Amino acid sequence: MTDDTIDPVEGAPENGTEAGTWNVRIIDLSGATEGEDDTVEVVKDFIDLMHANAYARAYVRDSIERCRTPGASSKEVIENWLAFGENAEVVDAGEDGWKSSTELEDFAASRATPMERDWRAIDPRRLVDDEEIAGPPDEDDDDENRHEVIRH
């Protein structure tokens, strides 16, 4: 390694954004929301761009499936989604962000599997740190202050 090269920080996004700062904007396509940009919500704190892209893709996939009616053609599925569905876009990702327009026709042409639709499983608001799982540290190892909870 020469003096003029920089060793990238492991896990840091290539665009210079700090880890956990990617956001996905959920957009109401029906136009029923208040405001000019039709943003329903902004989901924050994705681990990295790949995580944000996967969430946006699964969210749109699920939205399209909720707009699919029995016997509808691909064209009708897209029309329903544009009238009643929700789009998702990764904020400030530029060309690296997933775009619904790249897969919309494929999504409309074939039904999604439950796994392809499961945006909830990768929602950063549901992810839990190891520290949260472990709970607070045991400060008192004295047995006489330890209480046992019995549930019936």
Side-chain angles (χ1 to χ4, degrees):
M1 188 149 123
T2 62
D3 291 342
D4 60 339
T5 60
I6 299 173
D7 186 23
V9 177
E10 187 176 321
E14 293 177 11
N15 71 349
T17 305
E18 291 181 33
T21 60
W22 290 104
N23 300 321
V24 173
R25 181 180 300 128
I26 306 299
I27 302 161
D28 180 8
L29 298 176
S30 72
T33 58
E34 294 181 20
E36 295 177 20
D37 65 356
D38 293 327
T39 298
V40 175
E41 69 178 315
V42 176
V43 182
K44 300 179 179 184
D45 299 328
F46 288 88
I47 296 169
D48 53 24
L49 180 57
M50 187 170 70
H51 181 203
N53 282 339
Y55 177 88
R57 184 180 191 275
Y59 194 94
V60 170
R61 194 75 164 112
D62 184 54
S63 179
I64 288 172
E65 291 306 316
R66 286 183 282 117
C67 292
R68 188 183 302 276
T69 56
S73 68
S74 295
K75 181 181 176 191
E76 291 169 325
V77 171
I78 292 172
E79 288 171 355
N80 288 342
W81 181 70
L82 291 171
F84 306 109
E86 293 178 324
N87 196 4
E89 61 182 34
V90 182
V91 179
D92 298 330
E95 293 299 314
D96 294 328
W98 180 84
K99 310 272 187 296
S100 59
S101 59
T102 61
E103 295 190 86
L104 190 56
E105 290 181 16
D106 291 337
F107 286 179
S110 63
R111 289 194 173 276
T113 66
M115 183 180 276
E116 289 174 315
R117 298 178 63 174
D118 194 4
W119 55 269
R120 290 168 188 86
I122 56 177
D123 190 327
R125 298 168 293 190
R126 296 187 67 184
L127 300 178
V128 181
D129 291 338
D130 290 337
E131 291 176 12
E132 289 182 78
I133 293 171
D138 292 333
E139 293 179 14
D140 194 2
D141 290 333
D142 190 4
D143 282 337
E144 63 185 71
N145 289 331
R146 195 171 294 187
H147 301 282
E148 185 175 332
V149 176
I150 300 173
R151 295 187 179 146
H152 298 280

